[in-house]
Amino acid sequence: MTDKGWCPIVYDPLVTPTAVPPAAARPTTTATAGPANGRVDALLSAILVVTSKNPVHSVLWLIGVFVAISGHYILLNAQFLAIVNLIVYAGAIMVLFLFVFMLMNLNSDMEPQKNKWLKIAGVVAGGSLLLVLVAALKNADMKNQLAEMNKGDIGLIHNLGLALFQDYVVPFEISSVLFLSAMVGVVVIGKKD
């Protein structure tokens, strides 16, 4: 009896096939790619987004947050959401943010000095929000709320494709014609006479 994803035979053409030891007998490594590391990556990247002095570095750390969130989507068996999150947010929107920051030409010389009372008010507001979040999550029953990982077929790209091309094929084709006409319109408008 074998685990899923575990090959009982190691193939080497020069050596006779032998059985791979079960998971309990195999050496363990300290670095795992489980959900705990994904949470740590997401939280660390989010903290660095807020604390970075350079806005370009903040955008790059925000891309790290989106990659960690996409990893969580994959663990929850929602591959489509993970891919869309990477393409739309980590790709397109972050490139837009980078262009805006580069065009703004932010210099520390031109930055206005903030009042110390404004800084104190920001710290008090942030602390109040943290207090509300801790109070809201204190009574949450997290031990009994488990997410099923890699089970079921909800969120799979295959099922989305079946629904899109069987049940909603006419609206899908109408939207594709609409996008095609929009692209033709942009080319016509952008063409010089």
Side-chain angles (χ1 to χ4, degrees):
M1 189 165 145
T2 63
D3 297 334
K4 286 187 177 180
W6 178 66
C7 179
I9 303 296
V10 175
Y11 177 73
D12 188 357
L14 302 175
V15 180
T16 58
T18 58
V20 174
R26 283 184 269 176
T28 59
T29 59
T30 56
T32 60
N37 282 348
R39 285 191 298 261
V40 171
D41 291 344
L43 287 175
L44 180 67
S45 297
I47 289 170
L48 288 170
V49 166
V50 177
T51 58
S52 292
K53 299 277 186 192
N54 190 344
V56 175
H57 294 167
S58 292
V59 168
L60 294 176
W61 284 117
L62 191 57
I63 291 173
V65 171
F66 288 139
V67 168
I69 291 173
S70 295
H72 281 97
Y73 285 144
I74 290 173
L75 287 175
L76 292 172
N77 209 20
Q79 294 98 351
F80 178 72
L81 286 178
I83 292 170
V84 167
N85 188 27
L86 283 177
I87 291 172
V88 173
Y89 288 107
I93 292 179
M94 289 301 108
V95 168
L96 179 68
F97 277 16
L98 281 174
F99 278 133
V100 167
F101 286 145
M102 289 178 186
L103 290 174
M104 284 175 58
N105 194 14
L106 298 173
N107 293 331
S108 59
D109 303 337
M110 301 172 61
E111 184 177 340
Q113 295 296 324
K114 294 181 180 73
N115 189 357
K116 69 175 182 176
W117 295 108
L118 186 63
K119 291 180 181 179
I120 292 172
V123 169
V124 168
S128 301
L129 178 63
L130 180 66
L131 183 67
V132 168
L133 286 174
V134 168
L137 293 175
K138 185 178 79 168
N139 294 330
D141 189 15
M142 294 295 212
K143 292 180 181 173
N144 293 332
Q145 295 179 358
L146 299 174
E148 290 187 15
M149 297 188 340
N150 293 327
K151 293 184 180 177
D153 56 355
I154 296 174
L156 296 177
I157 298 173
H158 178 265
N159 294 334
L160 177 71
L162 287 177
L164 207 58
F165 291 115
Q166 287 179 352
D167 301 335
Y168 301 103
V169 69
V170 174
F172 180 74
E173 292 301 326
I174 290 172
S175 65
S176 66
V177 170
L178 181 68
F179 286 134
L180 180 65
S181 63
M183 286 192 318
V184 169
V186 166
V187 169
V188 169
I189 290 172
K191 186 178 176 184
K192 293 184 179 181
D193 291 334

